[in-house]
Amino acid sequence: MQENSVDVAISGETYDQVDAFRLVVEAVLREPVSVQDYAEMLVLLSLDTALADLLGRQPPEILLRSIQQLSRRYPREAYGYLAETLAALQQKQQKG
């Protein structure tokens, strides 16, 4: 087990669904996926989906305020990320 890993208990029914769904993921990816990679992928995708569901309903002003507050707390990381994202967007727009 990895140094920063934790054990999580889930019901047998949920485990069966999660385990069976790995077949779908492997079919789409056309390659086997380790249990560890699969579990990490499910958790991260779930968090992304939950965040999108929660924030997707918020007005733009709330999202902008959140970015501003994040930038005050972590200026280099937040502004660096915004700069990279804006540069990538500009490149994509220039390519058409």
Side-chain angles (χ1 to χ4, degrees), residues 7-72:
D7 291 328
V8 176
I10 58 175
S11 71
E13 183 179 339
T14 299
Y15 177 80
D16 289 343
Q17 283 188 288
V18 169
D19 188 47
F21 188 71
R22 189 167 72 155
L23 297 172
V24 175
V25 172
E26 290 177 337
V28 170
L29 296 178
R30 297 183 185 177
E31 64 182 54
V33 179
S34 73
V35 173
Q36 179 66 36
D37 289 344
Y38 173 63
E40 296 246 353
M41 179 196 75
L42 278 183
V43 170
L44 292 175
L45 286 174
S46 297
L47 291 170
D48 288 348
T49 300
L51 189 60
D53 286 348
L54 293 170
L55 294 182
R57 301 181 206 141
Q58 300 301 316
E61 306 81 47
I62 298 294
L63 300 176
L64 178 58
R65 196 171 314 131
S66 296
I67 292 170
Q68 290 168 331
Q69 290 171 352
L70 185 64
S71 298
R72 284 189 201 101

Side-chain angles (χ1 to χ4, degrees), residues 87-96:
L89 180 61
Q90 287 176 348
Q91 285 180 346
K92 187 176 180 180
Q93 288 175 343
Q94 289 173 352
K95 290 182 181 179

